[in-house]
Amino acid sequence: MDRQGKRAVRLRLTGAAALAAVSGLAGSWAYLRAGGSAGDVVRDLSVGWAYAAAGLVAWRRRPANRTGPLMVAEGVTWFLGNLQGTSVPALFAFGAWWEALNMAILLHLILCFPEGRLTTVLTRRLVQFAYGLVAVGGLLRTLLFDPGQATGATYLDCAGCGPNALFIPGTHDLFGPVDTVYHALGWVISAGAAVAIVQRWRHASAARRQALLPAWIGIGVAVVFLMWDMLFYVVPWFGDAGDTGEQAVYLLSDLAQVAVPFAFLAGLLRMHLQRAEVSGLVIEVGTDPDPARLREALARVLGDPTLRLGLWREERRAYVDGSGREVTADGTGRTPSGRRTAGRSRCCTTTPPSWTTRNSSRPSPPRCALPSRTSGCAPAPGT
């Protein structure tokens, strides 16, 4: 990146940081006005600013990847719903309309992580539907929302907030059905997202799974505490444990949510380091590598010391290792991967099944970017 490009990135980062600061302060002020305690405001501010801070780091490290900007956007929009705690009609309406925007952005972030782009039709449709639901459904819901009558329609405990500048008088009776459909569609999107996440996990290689593991652990912990938190509302007698137990769950839930953005950042950096290792491997082995040296380098990068490397020998019609022995899946749980195409030699590796890319029921062959004169190959970046 040239000097002008770096300067543009710095300006964007500065603007994003300022926007996150203003959004957090405005949201905290509105939250306090709605009756939130100092502890509640601090925890709420910590979650939003954690997303913003982690996003700024990711954005600076990988400017071309949209993961960083999405994390910053999640941090900025985290506080929008708090604006319903104000007595300014326009701000109340804005907060009510875009209250769920951070959830749509979080969905976008999860489905495009770590590449920063949506790679399947399903994920693209889910994200489009989520943004459309917030924009159109959120507006319709706000037009029917009278905060004086629907006091429990928002997460804020503020019966005296508002009024709503967008409310159409005489339409409040329609608010209940519209609000129900609005949240039901949100659950449908969540179910579709769960399917997409499971599909991505099943089709991911072991290296990608290792890189994504911190992010999924963080999300899983946050979801567990959020579900635990909901027991206080779903099961009436659960609250008999007392205010101390309830507050402890709230605290753990917020702490878990603070950890989620940094788990995303850790996964992103781990993926970047793994790609750097593969690129370094290409440089290390060169264009005409020694088979033994190539096997050692591959075993180190893949973290599998038992890996075996075979090179195709036309005269023997088989893959052989550096000592001339045929390479076959002769070990329990070993999975061969490799192929040969006309005019180009290919290498074959045998690894445990956890190292194969699970795009199909058959193991996927490695790509060879640098076929050598001695029937060897070096792996392509991203393999």
Side-chain angles (χ1 to χ4, degrees), residues 10-381:
R10 285 196 297 267
L11 289 175
R12 295 190 186 99
L13 291 174
T14 302
L19 185 59
V22 171
S23 177
L25 294 175
S28 299
W29 165 74
Y31 199 0
L32 282 171
R33 187 188 179 281
S37 67
D40 292 335
V41 172
V42 169
R43 291 196 295 268
D44 184 67
L45 194 63
S46 298
V47 175
W49 278 357
Y51 272 104
L56 289 171
V57 174
W59 196 347
R60 182 177 180 274
R61 293 293 299 269
R62 302 187 65 184
N65 191 306
R66 295 181 181 176
T67 301
L70 281 172
M71 293 174 70
V72 173
E74 173 67 15
V76 171
T77 58
W78 177 267
F79 306 102
L80 293 185
N82 292 355
L83 296 179
Q84 297 171 90
T86 70
S87 59
V88 181
L91 290 179
F92 180 93
F94 185 80
W97 184 357
W98 299 106
E99 176 184 353
L101 179 58
N102 71 299
M103 299 303 296
I105 293 176
L106 183 60
L107 174 73
H108 190 174
L109 173 62
I110 292 173
L111 294 181
C112 77
F113 181 82
E115 295 90 349
R117 64 181 185 277
L118 302 170
T119 57
T120 67
V121 174
L122 175 60
T123 56
R124 287 193 290 269
R125 295 294 179 267
L126 284 171
V127 171
Q128 291 169 358
F129 190 23
Y131 285 127
L133 178 62
V134 174
V136 179
L139 175 59
L140 179 59
R141 178 179 179 274
T142 304
L143 292 174
L144 309 175
F145 181 23
D146 182 0
Q149 299 185 60
T151 55
T154 176
Y155 60 90
L156 297 176
D157 185 14
C158 184
C161 296
N164 179 4
L166 295 178
F167 175 62
I168 301 176
T171 61
H172 177 71
D173 291 341
L174 299 175
F175 176 77
V178 170
D179 187 54
T180 300
V181 173
Y182 180 72
H183 286 91
L185 291 176
W187 279 104
V188 171
I189 295 175
S190 300
V195 172
I197 291 170
V198 171
Q199 287 180 346
R200 289 187 63 195
W201 182 264
R202 292 185 61 189
H203 290 82
S205 64
R208 176 176 291 270
R209 290 181 181 179
Q210 283 190 333
L212 297 179
L213 188 59
W216 298 126
I217 290 177
I219 293 172
V221 171
V223 169
V224 167
F225 281 115
L226 286 173
M227 294 177 65
W228 183 266
D229 185 15
M230 290 184 65
L231 287 176
F232 288 101
Y233 300 96
V234 177
V235 184
W237 55 262
F238 199 78
D240 295 340
D243 291 339
T244 302
E246 184 176 353
Q247 290 301 318
V249 172
Y250 288 152
L251 176 60
L252 291 174
S253 175
D254 288 335
L255 291 176
Q257 291 182 71
V258 170
V260 169
F262 294 105
F264 271 115
L265 179 61
L268 190 67
L269 296 179
R270 281 164 62 96
M271 180 65 74
H272 180 68
L273 289 175
Q274 286 188 347
R275 288 175 177 172
E277 286 184 352
V278 174
S279 299
L281 173 63
V282 175
I283 298 175
E284 178 183 344
V285 301
T287 59
D288 194 12
D290 174 76
R293 181 182 176 189
L294 177 57
R295 194 213 69 81
E296 293 177 0
L298 283 171
R300 184 183 69 253
V301 171
L302 295 177
D304 178 21
T306 66
L307 177 142
R308 295 182 64 196
L309 173 68
L311 306 179
W312 181 260
R313 298 299 183 186
E314 188 65 33
E315 65 277 8
R316 296 179 58 174
R317 305 290 298 174
Y319 291 102
V320 298
D321 60 18
S323 61
R325 293 177 299 178
E326 290 190 10
V327 176
T328 58
D330 54 1
T332 302
R334 308 298 293 180
T335 302
S337 59
R339 67 181 177 188
R340 179 179 59 88
T341 56
R344 294 176 66 88
S345 298
R346 288 290 187 263
C347 57
C348 172
T349 60
T350 64
T351 61
S354 60
W355 285 108
T356 60
T357 303
R358 303 175 72 174
N359 289 329
S360 65
S361 59
R362 300 178 64 184
S364 299
R367 290 181 295 155
C368 295
L370 303 174
S372 73
R373 294 184 299 274
T374 59
S375 300
C377 71

